[in-house]
Amino acid sequence: MPRFAVQQHRASRLHFDLRLEVDGVARSWAVPRGPSLRTRDRRLAVPVDDHGLEHLSFEGRHAGADDAVIVWDAGQYEVQGERPAAAALAAGHLAVTLHGAKLRGGFALTRTGPRRWILTKMRDAFAEPERDVVAEQPRSVLTGRTLAEVDAGA
Ligand code: MN
């Protein structure tokens, strides 16, 4: 199965980066508010440059940059439906099943404009209408650190 990661990234602005392994690269979207387990939430996801797959597990501070990154969630994913991920993305709609530590079940990425996608949780047993997973589970799934701890050099 291909891999995915969601990193929390403090650069000039705090945001999350959703990365999906597709055809040997990490297709990436900046998600300002991060993912949600509530099906009613529509989270803006702005496509950003592909990254190398090694970046899926990057945590720390980039040399020479004023930033900090934690791996907020990671795991494997499956594409829902018949179309391969690249074709689904080219068509503007990709549904996946995530097998992460925090994010599980169906999620959809839908293009709503030239540089604008929406990330939504699909209705299934893993939807959590009363929970704010970003607020409740802030720590890295790799090291247990918070972004603030990495930022402080812990
Ligand atoms: Mn970023």
Side-chain angles (χ1 to χ4, degrees):
M1 261 190 275
R3 293 184 292 151
F4 85 96
V6 176
Q7 284 153 315
Q8 193 179 20
H9 184 192
R10 186 199 62 75
S12 53
R13 293 185 198 178
L14 181 65
H15 62 276
F16 290 77
D17 291 293
L18 168 65
R19 305 191 196 280
L20 299 175
E21 177 183 359
V22 177
D23 298 340
V25 300
R27 299 285 297 266
S28 299
W29 292 258
V31 183
R33 297 181 63 191
S36 175
L37 298 175
R38 298 182 293 236
T39 58
R40 66 177 180 273
D41 288 343
R42 294 164 55 83
R43 293 292 162 88
L44 174 65
V46 178
V48 296
D49 290 344
D50 296 345
H51 279 58
L53 294 180
E54 72 284 354
H55 203 74
L56 290 170
S57 56
F58 177 82
E59 182 164 302
R61 305 186 56 149
H62 290 101
D66 176 20
D67 76 346
V69 177
I70 60 168
V71 179
W72 182 81
D73 197 19
Q76 295 179 314
Y77 79 94
E78 297 171 82
V79 175
Q80 295 187 8
E82 298 301 312
R83 273 191 308 211
L89 290 171
H93 182 77
L94 172 64
V96 295
T97 302
L98 300 183
H99 302 283
K102 300 172 184 172
L103 302 180
R104 294 181 175 275
F107 287 80
L109 271 168
T110 305
R111 187 167 55 215
T112 59
R115 297 277 302 162
R116 180 188 169 90
W117 294 62
I118 296 292
L119 175 67
T120 52
K121 178 76 191 78
M122 297 164 69
R123 292 179 191 284
D124 59 25
F126 300 101
E128 294 270 11
E130 305 304 327
R131 289 189 49 213
D132 181 345
V133 67
V134 163
E136 292 171 19
Q137 298 188 262
R139 292 181 179 275
S140 163
V141 294
L142 288 190
T143 65
R145 296 181 295 178
T146 64
L147 185 62
E149 287 168 353
V150 170
D151 217 354

